[in-house]
Amino acid sequence: MRRATLLTLAAILAVGCTTFNRGRFAVASATLVPVATTTIQEDVEGRACSERIAQRLERAVEDALEKTPDANALVDASFRFERVCIVVRGTAVRLGD
């Protein structure tokens, strides 16, 4: 009985340490996307780890864009969960004026 309980506990704890893809975006932006875009950098990654799940995605996108100062949006973006973090990855672009 004790061994079964320990195995169950170990399985539950192991699940909390997994990484899995959760979704994909065509575009991640706070503004409307015009047709004209300029690619700044491909394969940009941003990460946000916080207690408030509602803010993690927004902060992860902001983190990615801070790494590419001339960019103001991510296209062909995806996100995944890693423990208590959200990680976004995509192509950083500059939206046309």
Side-chain angles (χ1 to χ4, degrees), residues 3-18:
R3 183 174 181 188
T5 303
L6 290 175
L7 287 174
T8 302
L9 181 59
I12 291 170
L13 291 174
V15 170
C17 298
T18 60

Side-chain angles (χ1 to χ4, degrees), residues 60-81:
V61 171
E62 289 172 357
D63 182 51
L65 293 175
E66 286 174 1
K67 297 173 182 174
T68 52
D70 293 335
N72 58 7
L74 293 178
V75 296
D76 193 25
S78 64
F79 70 100
R80 67 182 186 273
F81 291 99

Side-chain angles (χ1 to χ4, degrees), residues 48 50-60 81 84 86:
S50 69
E51 293 178 11
R52 293 185 170 182
I53 193 163
Q55 295 176 347
R56 287 186 207 160
L57 182 57
E58 181 180 348
R59 288 185 182 180
F81 291 99
V84 296
I86 290 182

